[in-house]
């Protein structure tokens, strides 16, 4: 069946089923002249008569009966397909792909595990990447982003939480180098930070403005490796509060400044936002995020 002639096959199917041009035209919502034109065109392309025309209507020939049988089976298959697709969209099951930045991974692992406990038919995949995945290409269903969420008009962006950032040091570092006694004591200490500062992130801008380059002794490719360096005792560095406060050997060396906070966003594509599983997960995620700032 040539897909380019789909309308003509559909018309011939309705004529074969209903046996009159007028009835087929009413079902299809077209003029009866269109029905006749489609039949004549399809018969010409197939090189065979599909109908015997008479005063009472159209009677399928042997070729027309073959077309009726195949088209009826095709209609049934398409109806079943539509039902499966509708059911897939209406049920909380199947694959759920979530993407986030490396430092968000502990939060997302906890959230996804709790969500799956309530929705055991969900098969989750967590993609940890500093690169923003393309939601419009189906690379992920839900994206967690920090800082600027992007301005793609096809995405739905919702603020989840403002996450406190703090300056931390390992207790072994403090034992070797002493505590940080205020901003004026910065030149006497060693620091960890990313190699390339993103000035749109307030805490990165702060460390760039207040810590001299000669005091940065451990540079990293991303914030996750900064975290590893600080926990290893290489120097003082910024960590999310939920990571620094959860580690028994980490100490906050300055009072946290609210201006250092990082905004976390949930991003979904408009075409998937209202599907059952995405809507369900995002609702659950937003509720979980209410407690993140207190971790």
């Amino acid at each position: 069946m040539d897909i380019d002639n789909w309308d003509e096959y559909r018309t011939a199917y309705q004529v074969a089923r209903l046996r009159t041009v007028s009835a087929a035209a009413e079902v299809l919502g077209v003029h009866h002249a269109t029905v006749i034109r489609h039949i004549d065109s399809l018969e010409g392309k197939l090189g065979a008569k599909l109908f015997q025309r008479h005063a009472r209507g159209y009677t399928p020939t042997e070729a027309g009966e073959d077309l009726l049988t195949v088209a009826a089976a095709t209609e049934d298959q398409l109806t079943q397909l539509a039902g499966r697709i509708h059911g897939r969209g209406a049920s909380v099951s199947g694959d759920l792909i979530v993407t986030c930045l490396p430092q968000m991974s502990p939060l997302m692992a906890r959230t996804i595990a709790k969500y799956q406990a309530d929705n055991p038919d969900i098969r989750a995949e967590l993609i940890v990447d500093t690169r923003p995945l393309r939601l419009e290409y189906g690379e992920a269903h839900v994206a967690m982003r920090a800082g600027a969420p992007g301005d793609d008009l096809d995405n739905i962006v919702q603020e989840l939480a403002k996450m406190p950032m703090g300056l931390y040091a390992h207790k072994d570092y403090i034992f070797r180098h002493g505590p940080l006694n205020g901003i004026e004591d910065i030149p006497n200490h060693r620091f960890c930070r990313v190699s390339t500062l993103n000035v749109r992130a307030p805490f990165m801008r702060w460390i760039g403005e207040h810590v001299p380059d000669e005091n940065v002794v451990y540079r990293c490719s991303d914030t996750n490796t900064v975290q590893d360096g600080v926990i290893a005792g290489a120097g003082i560095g910024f960590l999310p509060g939920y990571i620094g406060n959860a580690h028994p050997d980490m100490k906050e060396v300055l009072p946290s400044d609210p201006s250092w906070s990082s905004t976390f966003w949930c991003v979904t594509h408009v075409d998937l936002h209202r599907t059952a599983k995405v809507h369900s997960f995002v609702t659950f995620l937003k509720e979980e995020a209410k407690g993140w700032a207190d971790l």
Side-chain angles (χ1 to χ4, degrees), residues 99-101 129-136 139-140 143-145 148-150 155:
T99 180
C100 70
L101 294 169
D129 202 328
T130 56
R131 175 182 63 92
L133 268 62
R134 303 292 297 274
L135 303 184
E136 67 271 28
E139 292 182 338
M144 284 277 293
R145 294 177 180 165
N155 288 339

Side-chain angles (χ1 to χ4, degrees), residues 3-250:
I3 195 66
D4 292 336
N5 304 330
W6 176 249
D7 285 343
E8 294 173 358
Y9 280 104
R10 190 160 60 104
T11 298
Y13 166 59
Q14 293 299 341
V15 172
R17 188 173 70 88
L18 301 170
R19 305 300 170 108
T20 69
V21 168
S22 58
E26 184 177 352
V27 168
L28 295 168
V30 298
H31 195 273
H32 73 275
T34 301
V35 174
I36 294 172
R37 186 174 68 252
H38 281 180
I39 296 299
D40 290 344
S41 173
L42 185 58
E43 287 181 333
K45 291 169 183 171
L46 295 175
K49 286 292 182 185
L50 298 174
F51 301 97
Q52 293 290 340
R53 294 146 173 89
H54 49 77
R56 296 186 307 278
Y58 280 43
T59 301
T61 63
E62 185 177 351
E65 290 289 356
D66 284 346
L67 182 143
L68 177 61
T69 300
V70 173
T74 302
E75 184 181 48
D76 287 343
Q77 290 174 343
L78 290 174
T79 300
Q80 293 170 19
L81 174 63
R84 290 197 301 272
I85 292 173
H86 175 74
R88 209 173 289 149
S91 65
V92 182
S93 62
D95 296 332
L96 177 68
I97 306 173
V98 181
T99 180
C100 70
L101 294 169
Q103 283 191 320
M104 296 177 179
S105 180
L107 292 175
M108 293 313 301
R110 188 177 341 177
T111 299
I112 291 171
K114 289 175 69 174
Y115 180 71
Q116 286 182 303
D118 295 336
N119 299 276
D121 292 331
I122 286 289
R123 297 185 301 274
E125 178 179 358
L126 179 60
I127 301 175
V128 177
D129 202 328
T130 56
R131 175 182 63 92
L133 268 62
R134 303 292 297 274
L135 303 184
E136 67 271 28
Y137 293 151
E139 292 182 338
H141 298 124
V142 181
M144 284 277 293
R145 294 177 180 165
D151 55 3
D152 191 325
L153 297 179
D154 287 333
N155 288 339
I156 294 175
V157 179
Q158 301 177 74
E159 182 175 327
L160 287 176
K162 292 190 182 299
M163 303 300 295
M165 299 291 295
L167 271 175
Y168 290 85
H170 194 277
K171 66 179 184 180
D172 290 345
Y173 171 89
I174 295 174
F175 178 78
R176 294 194 306 271
H177 300 281
L180 177 63
N181 296 312
I183 293 177
E184 62 279 1
D185 195 28
I186 284 176
N188 300 316
H189 281 273
R190 301 160 68 84
F191 287 83
C192 306
R193 70 164 174 81
V194 292
S195 302
T196 303
L197 294 173
N198 179 359
V199 295
R200 291 180 299 178
F203 68 94
M204 289 194 191
R205 186 165 60 247
W206 187 93
I207 202 168
E209 292 172 352
H210 291 84
V211 177
D213 280 349
E214 57 266 28
N215 291 88
V216 180
V217 299
Y218 194 95
R219 296 176 189 267
C220 308
S221 59
D222 56 57
T223 53
N224 223 41
T225 47
V226 171
Q227 170 188 316
D228 294 340
V230 174
I231 291 175
I236 298 169
F238 275 106
L239 300 180
Y242 62 86
I243 292 177
N245 295 336
H247 199 291
D249 294 330
M250 301 305 296

Side-chain angles (χ1 to χ4, degrees), residues 251-295:
K251 303 295 181 185
E252 200 164 10
V253 297
L254 281 182
S256 181
D257 188 328
S259 69
W260 296 341
S261 295
S262 180
T263 304
F264 283 9
W265 307 88
C266 172
V267 185
T268 53
H269 192 269
V270 65
D271 289 344
L272 293 176
H273 179 70
R274 296 200 178 280
T275 59
K277 68 181 175 184
V278 172
H279 178 73
S280 170
F281 179 73
V282 169
T283 300
F284 184 88
L285 176 62
K286 288 163 66 176
E287 192 62 30
E288 284 292 299
K290 292 178 181 178
W292 287 352
D294 299 325
L295 294 176

